[in-house]
Amino acid sequence: MFIRLLLLAAVSAVAGLGVPARPAAALETSASAINSLTLEEVLNRTLQGNPQLAAAAEELRAAAAEQRLADRLPNPELSITLENIAGDGSYEGSDAAEWTVELSQPLELGGKRGLRREFAGIQRDLADSEQLRSRADVLANARRRYIEALAAQVRLALAKEQAELAGKSLLAAEERIKTGKSPAIDHMRLQGEFTLAKLAVEQAERTVKTANLKLAMSWHAGPPDFDQVAGELDRLPGLPAFNEIEAALHQAPEAISLRLATALQTVELAQAKAACIPDPALTIGWRQFEESSENALIFGISLPLPLFNQGQDGVAAAGSRLGSVRAREQAVHRELLAQLHDAWQALADARAEAAALDEQVVPGAAEGYAAAEFGYQAGKFGLIELLDAQRTLFETRQRQVAAQTAAHLAATELQRLLGRGPAAAANQSSSL
C-alpha cells in the first residue's frame, strides 16, 4: 500500500503539485535524533523521579515497621510506692515508712499477639499491593502523555504538509489566472485556505510544546530537556483474547488489594472476639518495712472485670464491617471487569477503524485528490472540487491518526487495569 501511495504522489508531482502519501517522518521518528526520547527512557525517568512512587515506597516502609512492632510483647509496668509517712503519732515522719517496688507484666490470652502479627502482615501485603497499583497508575499516565506527545508530532507534520500543499495550490492558481484559465476569485479562496493552514501549523506547534511539557512533568516539574519523542504511531498494539485478560484480572493489584482488605477485616473480627477475653497481669514485688528493717516479696494477679463492656458491640461492629467489605469486593470486581471490557472493546474498535482507514479510506482519498488535482490542472474540474478533495484527504488522515492514538491509549488502559509494570511497558515500547 505504501508503494501505491508513492506512485500516487509521483503522479501528482508530474502534474505540478506533490500529494503527500503519509507523514512518514512524523510517524517514525529516529531514536538517534538529538534530544529525542523513547518510551523506555520515558518510563525509566518516571520510575526514578515521580514523587507518587516515592510516597508509596514510604508507606511500604511504614507498614514493615508496624509489622515488626506487632511482634513485640506488651511492656511491663514498674510501680514504686512509699507508704505510712507524714502521719500522726507513731506514723509521724518516716520512721514507719514502707517501700514497695512492683513489676507487672500483662499476659495476652485468646491468641491476641498472633492475631496482631497476622493483621500487621496483611497490612504490609496491602501496602505492597498498593505500591504496585500506584506504579501501574504512574506508568500508565506517563505512557498516555508519551502517546499524546507522539500524536501531536504527527498532527504537526500533517498540518505542515497541508500548509505546503495549500501554498503550492495558491501558486498554481495564480499561474492559471494569468493565462485566463481560472477566475480571479480562485486566488482569494485559495489565499484564505493558505492562511487557515498556516494558523493550523502554529496551533499544532503549541500543542506539541504543551504535550512535551506535560510529559516532562511525569518525572520533574521543570521545562522539558527534549525536543521530541521517538516512536511509530502506526505500529498498533495487539489485541489479546478477552478471556485471557479476564483471567489475568485476578492477579491485578487492585483485585489483590480487595482480597487483602477482606482478609484484614476477617482478622479484625477475630481480634474483636479475642478482646472479649480479659488479659490478666502478673505482679511481683518487694516491700521494705522501715520500722522493723525487714523485707518481704509480693506476688499478685489482676484481672479486668467485664461488667459494663463485654465486647459484644465491638464484635457486632467488626462483623458488619466484614460484610460491607465483602460486598464492596464483589461490587468493585464487577466494575473492574466492566472497565476491562470497555478498554478491550475500545482497542478492538480503534484497531478496526485504523485498519479500514489505512487499507481503504486514506488510499481512496489520495486517489480522489490526485484525480481532482490533475483535472483542475487540465481545466476539467473547478476549484471547489479540488478543495473538497484536499479537505477529504487530510480529514481522513487526521482521523487515521486519531484511531491510531485511541488504539494505543486503550492498550495503555488495559495495562493499567491489569497492573502491568515496567516489563509490560517495555513490550509496548516495541510496538511504538
Side-chain angles (χ1 to χ4, degrees):
M1 188 202 69
F2 187 73
I3 297 177
R4 183 183 182 188
L5 292 178
L6 286 179
L7 292 175
L8 290 173
V11 171
S12 63
V14 172
L17 293 176
V19 180
R22 295 178 67 181
L27 290 176
E28 185 173 359
T29 307
S30 173
S32 61
I34 299 177
N35 294 330
S36 179
L37 284 184
T38 64
L39 176 58
E40 183 178 2
E41 292 170 335
V42 166
L43 297 180
N44 288 336
R45 288 188 176 196
T46 301
L47 287 174
Q48 295 173 6
N50 190 278
Q52 186 174 342
L53 296 180
E58 291 295 336
E59 287 293 335
L60 183 59
R61 281 191 283 270
E66 290 175 346
Q67 185 179 18
R68 295 191 299 271
L69 177 62
D71 191 44
R72 302 186 185 279
L73 292 171
N75 288 326
E77 181 179 347
L78 177 65
S79 174
I80 300 177
T81 307
L82 179 61
E83 301 179 42
N84 301 332
I85 61 172
D88 297 330
S90 61
Y91 295 102
E92 184 178 2
S94 60
D95 293 338
E98 295 182 2
W99 286 89
T100 305
V101 179
E102 295 178 321
L103 185 65
S104 298
Q105 176 63 53
L107 300 179
E108 294 181 299
L109 302 181
K112 293 184 180 66
R113 184 186 179 196
L115 290 171
R116 186 170 64 249
R117 287 185 294 187
E118 184 179 359
F119 188 87
I122 296 175
Q123 279 188 320
R124 189 181 188 282
D125 293 340
L126 186 59
D128 186 58
S129 178
E130 289 297 322
Q131 184 187 40
L132 292 178
R133 185 170 68 168
S134 179
R135 173 180 292 215
D137 290 343
V138 167
L139 291 178
N141 190 45
R143 284 194 292 268
R144 279 193 293 266
R145 292 177 177 180
Y146 165 84
I147 293 167
E148 291 168 357
L150 184 60
Q153 290 177 184
V154 176
R155 293 190 178 97
L156 174 59
L158 283 176
K160 289 181 177 179
E161 291 178 9
Q162 188 171 11
E164 182 180 359
L165 192 59
K168 291 180 179 180
S169 298
L170 179 60
L171 293 176
E174 291 175 350
E175 293 296 327
R176 288 177 56 83
I177 292 172
K178 290 179 182 179
T179 59
K181 296 180 180 180
S182 295
I185 195 174
D186 284 4
H187 182 273
M188 298 176 60
R189 189 184 296 268
L190 285 172
Q191 181 64 52
E193 293 290 331
F194 182 57
T195 301
L196 291 176
K198 291 194 298 181
L199 180 61
V201 171
E202 295 175 359
Q203 292 174 339
E205 288 175 343
R206 289 193 292 269
T207 300
V208 168
K209 292 181 180 180
T210 301
N212 289 344
L213 179 61
K214 290 176 62 178
L215 178 59
M217 291 179 67
S218 297
W219 57 84
H220 69 75
D225 57 351
F226 58 93
D227 299 325
Q228 60 184 356
V229 295
E232 300 175 46
L233 195 65
D234 58 347
R235 294 189 61 181
L236 301 181
L239 180 65
F242 184 74
N243 59 346
E244 294 178 1
I245 61 174
E246 184 179 11
L249 182 62
H250 181 74
Q251 294 301 323
E254 189 162 0
I256 295 175
S257 295
L258 289 172
R259 294 196 298 271
L260 289 174
T262 301
L264 196 68
Q265 196 59 50
T266 302
V267 175
E268 188 170 337
L269 175 59
Q271 286 180 317
K273 293 179 179 179
C276 297
I277 303 175
D279 292 335
L282 295 181
T283 302
I284 183 172
W286 168 83
R287 176 172 294 176
Q288 181 188 40
F289 298 91
E290 186 70 22
E291 184 177 4
S292 61
S293 299
E294 296 177 344
N295 301 319
L297 294 179
I298 299 175
F299 296 96
I301 183 172
S302 62
L303 187 68
L305 298 179
L307 299 179
F308 307 110
N309 179 15
Q310 298 178 355
Q312 67 273 20
D313 295 328
V315 173
S320 296
R321 290 195 182 96
L322 177 58
S324 174
V325 168
R326 285 174 174 169
R328 182 177 178 273
E329 180 183 358
Q330 295 179 359
V332 175
H333 186 270
R334 293 177 184 178
E335 180 62 25
L336 285 175
L337 191 60
Q339 294 177 11
L340 195 69
H341 188 275
D342 289 343
W344 183 87
Q345 188 65 49
L347 176 57
D349 293 344
R351 279 175 50 87
E353 182 180 1
L357 288 164
D358 186 64
E359 296 171 4
Q360 300 177 13
V361 181
V362 172
E367 290 178 358
Y369 176 76
E373 191 277 332
F374 182 79
Y376 179 74
Q377 291 288 339
K380 295 181 179 180
F381 295 136
L383 180 61
I384 294 179
E385 288 78 8
L386 176 64
L387 293 178
D388 183 66
Q390 180 180 330
R391 290 195 189 98
T392 300
L393 173 60
F394 281 95
E395 285 175 0
T396 54
R397 291 170 69 183
Q398 289 281 6
R399 185 168 178 176
Q400 182 184 35
V401 173
Q404 293 167 353
T405 304
H408 286 292
L409 291 177
T412 297
E413 179 64 9
L414 279 178
Q415 286 189 344
R416 186 192 70 81
L417 291 172
L418 296 177
R420 299 290 170 82
N427 292 335
Q428 184 180 349
S429 67
S430 63
S431 68
L432 289 171

